[in-house]
Amino acid sequence: MAESTTGTVLVLGAGSAMARGIAAAFASHGHALYLAGRDLEELERIASDLRVRTGVDVDFGQFDALDTQSHAGFVQAVLAEVGALAGVVWAVGYMPAQEQALADFGEVQRIIDTNFTAAVSMLDVCSAHLEKESGGFLAVISSVAGDRGRQSNYYYGSAKGALTLYLQGLRNRLHSSGVRVLTIKPGFVDTAMTWGLPGLFLVASPEQVGRAVVRAVQRRRDVLYVPWFWRYIMLIIRHIPERVFKRLKL
């Protein structure tokens, strides 16, 4: 079944820079949008901008990723408003400095709850709906950090690695239903999450990420490294022998 080229796309975590780039790219292809996030004032500003620039319908609503008990009701409320979904974008994430997590296990719990537990809860709800409709897509932001544990961010990386494995299984389960699952693995992207981090190079813009995600959905791809060369960077990193890797300062 071909992916729908129209219909509403639900963007979760819509206040982030990367989500805005993805939302703008879907809107430029004629998709209506439903933006979900915590800050209603910010969502209203983003929605107004997208309506003016693209001419598509853009609704929005408040969504708390960590309140997993609210997820099913939230999706039902969105469906009551928009009718049906062409797809869902998961762009929620949390990455504090590793030192903060080392000093406070509460930060570790928040990393895991935000990047994995909340994602699984909401994607289970959304995938059940799309499976009933026998089509649509889930485009989920994981990370290259999940490809191999590194001393500089292994709490965040392990949560994203778990999310990547979950998506592999979900894609396997949904394949026969016509629902597509895209795992997005960004490298360095110019967002608030990466602002000020040392050692960044070849940083992509959120707009570049957005265009790449829409192309990947249209081409029914399973995994997207963005920018594309991160596929090869991580291929090398994954194949470094552990006896060597453990001595590296990464």
Side-chain angles (χ1 to χ4, degrees), residues 1 38 44 82 85 112 144 229 235:
M1 177 180 293
R38 288 180 302 180
E44 185 172 16
V82 305
L85 294 174
I112 294 170
V144 296
F229 47 79
L235 180 66

Side-chain angles (χ1 to χ4, degrees), residues 11-20 35-38 43 63 89-93:
V11 182
L12 299 154
S16 72
M18 210 175 332
R20 292 200 296 272
L35 308 179
R38 288 180 302 180
L43 293 179
F63 166 68
V89 175
W90 175 266
V92 177

Side-chain angles (χ1 to χ4, degrees), residues 199-217:
L200 301 189
F201 60 97
L202 299 174
V203 178
S205 70
E207 292 75 20
Q208 288 175 305
V209 174
R211 291 191 292 271
V213 168
V214 171
R215 281 197 301 273
V217 168

Side-chain angles (χ1 to χ4, degrees), residues 16 27 66 78 108-109 112 114 122 146 151 171 196 198 200 202 212 217:
S16 72
L66 294 177
V78 171
V108 177
Q109 288 183 308
I112 294 170
T114 305
M122 180 50 91
Q151 62 177 288
R171 180 162 45 244
L200 301 189
L202 299 174
V217 168

Side-chain angles (χ1 to χ4, degrees), residues 8 33-34 58-61 74-84:
T8 299
L33 300 171
Y34 192 101
V58 185
D59 293 317
F60 60 92
F74 176 81
V75 172
Q76 288 305 313
V78 171
L79 291 172
E81 189 161 339
V82 305

Side-chain angles (χ1 to χ4, degrees), residues 20-85:
R20 292 200 296 272
I22 295 171
F26 276 112
S28 71
H29 282 75
H31 284 280
L33 300 171
Y34 192 101
L35 308 179
R38 288 180 302 180
D39 188 337
L40 283 178
E41 290 186 6
E42 178 67 8
L43 293 179
E44 185 172 16
R45 283 192 290 271
I46 297 170
S48 297
D49 176 67
L50 288 171
R51 289 190 197 105
V52 170
R53 288 198 290 134
T54 66
V56 302
D57 292 331
V58 185
D59 293 317
F60 60 92
Q62 196 164 43
F63 166 68
D64 183 353
L66 294 177
D67 183 8
T68 56
Q69 295 299 312
S70 71
H71 288 181
F74 176 81
V75 172
Q76 288 305 313
V78 171
L79 291 172
E81 189 161 339
V82 305
L85 294 174

Side-chain angles (χ1 to χ4, degrees), residues 98-128:
Q98 178 82 351
E99 291 72 19
Q100 284 180 249
L102 285 167
D104 179 3
F105 188 71
E107 283 292 287
V108 177
Q109 288 183 308
R110 188 177 174 193
I111 291 169
I112 294 170
D113 288 346
T114 305
N115 295 300
F116 182 63
T117 309
V120 171
S121 171
M122 180 50 91
L123 293 171
D124 274 359
V125 174
C126 293
S127 62

